[in-house]
C-alpha cells in the first residue's frame, strides 16, 4: 500500500484522508524503511501539500502522541520558526502573560531549530523540568494554568521520522507541522508564520483541526511573531468565519522598533530577558510581549479587542501576576522530581 501511495505522489496526485491515514500508520510502524519515509516527504514536497493532507498528517501524529484529556478553553501560542531573525523567546514570555489572564496554556515546543535558543532551551534554563509524564503535565495545567509540553517527550514515536528529516537536510512539510502537533485538543490557538502567503493556509488547517477560534499572523519583516517594526498581517478565525486584517503597532498605542531591537542570544541571556520583562522592565522586549500577549488574550476570548488585550497584558505584568505564573510553573514542574 505504501508503494501505491508513493507512486501517486510521484504523479503529483493528492492523497485522500484515508490514504494519509494509511501512510501515517506505515510511517510509525517498525517495518517502515528510511527510504520510504524520505520518498514520502520528498513526494509531498514536490507535489505541494493540500489542506486535507496537512490536517491528516497532524491527526496521525497526534494519534501517536501521549494521550491528554480535553482542557476546556485551552490555547497554544507559538510560531513556525524559520524567520532567521534570532529574536528572544517572544511566545514563551507571552505565554505567562496569557496564562495570567485566566486562559489555560498548553505550550508545545522544542529546542532551537532556526534561532539560538528554542522554547525548551530557555525554559530549562529558568529551572522548568521538561520530561514530565502526561498525568503530571495535565495536573500542572489544572493547578497552575500553564504547562510546557516538550515535543520529544510527548511525541516519543516520531524520532525515526525526525532522523530522516535531519539526514535529508532540506525543508519538508514537517518544518510547518511543529505548531500544529500539540497533543492537547485545543480550543484556540495563536500561531505565527514566517511567510505571509502561508497565513490563510494555516488558518484553514486550524479550522480543519477543529479550532473554534484562532489568529494566524505574519509579522513585519517576515517575523513569525507580531512585530513592532511595521504592518502585521492577521487572519482571524472565529467559529468558521475568517477575516484578514492588517495591524500596525501604532494602531494599538505601541511604539515602532526595528526587529533588530529584540535580537536574543543563548539560553542564559534569553532567560534573563524573559524574567526582566515579567518583572516590568520597559523597552522593546516588553512592548513586543505586550503586542503578542494582547493578541493571545484576544484569541483566548478574555478581551473583546486586541487593544483591550494589550491593556490587560500591561496590568498582568505590572501587578506581578505573570511573573507569579512563571514561579509557580518552576515549582510545580520540580515537585515530581523532588518526590522521586
Amino acid at each position: 500500500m505504501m508503494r501505491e501511495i508513493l507512486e501517486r505522489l510521484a504523479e503529483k496526485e493528492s492523497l485522500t484522508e484515508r490514504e494519509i491515514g494509511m501512510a501515517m500508520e506505515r510511517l510509525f510502524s517498525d517495518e517502515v524503511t528510511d527510504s520510504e519515509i524520505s520518498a514520502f516527504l520528498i513526494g509531498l514536497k514536490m507535489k505541494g501539500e493540500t489542506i486535507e493532507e496537512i490536517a491528516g498528517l497532524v491527526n496521525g501524529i497526534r494519534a501517536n502522541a501521549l494521550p491528554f484529556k480535553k482542557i476546556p478553553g485551552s490555547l497554544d501560542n507559538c510560531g513556525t520558526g524559520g524567520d532567521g531573525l534570532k529574536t528572544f523567546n517572544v511566545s514563551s514570555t507571552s505565554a505567562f502573560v496569557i496564562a495570567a489572564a485566566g486562559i489555560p496554556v498548553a505550550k508545545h515546543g522544542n529546542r532551537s531549530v532556526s534561532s539560538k535558543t528554542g522554547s525548551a532551551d530557555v525554559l530549562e534554563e529558568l529551572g522548568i523540568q521538561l520530561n514530565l509524564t502526561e498525568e503530571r503535565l495535565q495536573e500542572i495545567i489544572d493547578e497552575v494554568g500553564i504547562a510546557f509540553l516538550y515535543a520529544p517527550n510527548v511525541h516519543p514515536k516520531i524520532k525515526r521520522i525526525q532522523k530522516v528529516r535531519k539526514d535529508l537536510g532540506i525543508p519538508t512539510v514537517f518544518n510547518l507541522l511543529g505548531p500544529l502537533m500539540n497533543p492537547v485538543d485545543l480550543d484556540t490557538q495563536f500561531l505565527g508564520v514566517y511567510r505571509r502567503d502561508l497565513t490563510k493556509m494555516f488558518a484553514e488547517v486550524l479550522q480543519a483541526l477543529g479550532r473554534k477560534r484562532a489568529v494566524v499572523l505574519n509579522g513585519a519583516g517576515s517575523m513569525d511573531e507580531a512585530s513592532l517594526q511595521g504592518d502585521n498581517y492577521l487572519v482571524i478565525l472565529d467559529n468558521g468565519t475568517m477575516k484578514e486584517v492588517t495591524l500596525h503597532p501604532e494602531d494599538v498605542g505601541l511604539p515602532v522598533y526595528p526587529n533588530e531591537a529584540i535580537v536574543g542570544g543563548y539560553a542564559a541571556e534569553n532567560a534573563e530577558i524573559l524574567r526582566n520583562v515579567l518583572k516590568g522592565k520597559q523597552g522593546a522586549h516588553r512592548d513586543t510581549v505586550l503586542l503578542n500577549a494582547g493578541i493571545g488574550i484576544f484569541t483566548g476570548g478574555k478581551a473583546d479587542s486586541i487593544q483591550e488585550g494589550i491593556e490587560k497584558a500591561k496590568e498582568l505584568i505590572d501587578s506581578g501576576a505573570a511573573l507569579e505564573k512563571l514561579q509557580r510553573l518552576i515549582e510545580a514542574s520540580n515537585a515530581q522530581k523532588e518526590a522521586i
Side-chain angles (χ1 to χ4, degrees):
M1 186 60 68
M2 191 65 178
R3 179 177 178 179
E4 179 183 334
I5 288 172
L6 295 177
E7 287 176 348
R8 293 203 43 203
L9 290 177
E11 295 297 324
K12 300 192 183 307
E13 295 182 21
S14 296
L15 302 178
T16 65
E17 185 176 347
R18 175 176 171 273
E19 289 166 334
I20 280 288
M22 289 189 297
M24 293 306 294
E25 287 180 16
R26 177 71 179 175
L27 290 181
F28 282 112
S29 72
D30 293 334
E31 291 78 23
V32 69
T33 66
D34 288 355
S35 296
E36 285 178 319
I37 297 173
S38 177
F40 180 75
L41 296 177
I42 295 298
L44 277 175
K45 178 181 176 67
M46 297 301 292
K47 179 187 73 65
E49 304 86 358
T50 66
I51 303 300
E52 184 179 5
E53 287 169 342
I54 294 173
L57 288 169
V58 173
N59 286 329
I61 292 168
R62 292 181 67 247
N64 285 274
L66 298 184
F68 284 84
K69 297 177 183 176
K70 177 72 176 179
I71 303 170
S74 55
L75 174 144
D76 190 6
N77 69 313
C78 54
T80 57
D83 61 16
L85 297 174
K86 303 187 186 303
T87 55
F88 79 104
N89 299 93
V90 177
S91 63
S92 295
T93 312
S94 302
F96 294 103
V97 186
I98 296 168
I103 300 167
V105 176
K107 186 80 175 78
H108 178 259
N110 209 335
R111 297 195 183 277
S112 172
V113 177
S114 59
S115 62
K116 290 183 178 179
T117 306
S119 55
D121 302 305
V122 73
L123 295 177
E124 187 175 54
E125 178 70 24
L126 288 162
I128 294 166
Q129 296 297 319
L130 303 181
N131 295 306
L132 302 177
T133 65
E134 66 268 29
E135 292 89 357
R136 183 56 186 149
L137 289 167
Q138 193 100 37
E139 290 171 356
I140 290 174
I141 295 176
D142 292 339
E143 295 166 6
V144 182
I146 179 172
F148 181 69
L149 281 58
Y150 180 43
N153 185 36
V154 298
H155 297 287
K157 296 183 180 180
I158 208 168
K159 293 178 182 177
R160 180 88 177 278
I161 299 173
Q162 300 291 52
K163 177 186 178 299
V164 173
R165 286 182 58 209
K166 185 176 180 180
D167 291 343
L168 279 174
I170 60 173
T172 68
V173 67
F174 272 77
N175 290 76
L176 304 177
L177 297 184
L180 305 171
M181 288 165 45
N182 196 316
V184 173
D185 185 13
L186 301 169
D187 284 329
T188 58
Q189 189 160 355
F190 171 31
L191 193 159
V193 297
Y194 70 99
R195 281 170 39 195
R196 192 178 306 171
D197 62 302
L198 294 176
T199 53
K200 185 73 178 295
M201 184 198 77
F202 266 91
E204 291 173 346
V205 171
L206 290 177
Q207 183 177 28
L209 293 173
R211 303 292 189 266
K212 296 176 183 176
R213 186 172 169 85
V215 171
V216 181
L217 171 149
N218 172 247
S222 297
M223 195 161 91
D224 71 332
E225 315 273 5
S227 167
L228 297 173
Q229 181 167 288
D231 287 332
N232 297 275
Y233 295 86
L234 289 70
V235 178
I236 301 171
L237 170 66
D238 188 8
N239 291 312
T241 64
M242 290 187 196
K243 179 171 68 173
E244 298 182 49
V245 299
T246 302
L247 178 70
H248 192 279
E250 291 177 341
D251 297 337
V252 287
L254 292 173
V256 174
Y257 285 97
N259 289 334
E260 289 76 14
I262 57 170
V263 170
Y266 292 104
E269 181 180 345
N270 282 13
E272 183 178 5
I273 293 171
L274 188 155
R275 283 195 206 95
N276 286 339
V277 169
L278 297 187
K279 288 178 180 178
K281 184 176 180 180
Q282 303 286 325
H285 297 115
R286 170 189 166 97
D287 290 335
T288 300
V289 169
L290 289 178
L291 179 57
N292 282 273
I295 296 172
I297 292 169
F298 165 73
T299 305
K302 294 294 184 179
D304 293 330
S305 67
I306 293 173
Q307 178 73 72
E308 182 184 340
I310 291 169
E311 296 306 314
K312 286 194 174 186
K314 290 178 183 177
E315 295 170 7
L316 294 165
I317 292 175
D318 294 340
S319 69
L323 180 61
E324 183 184 2
K325 287 292 181 185
L326 168 61
Q327 294 167 337
R328 289 185 62 196
L329 179 55
I330 294 170
E331 293 168 3
S333 72
N334 283 279
Q336 184 186 54
K337 181 181 178 182
E338 293 169 0
I340 294 174

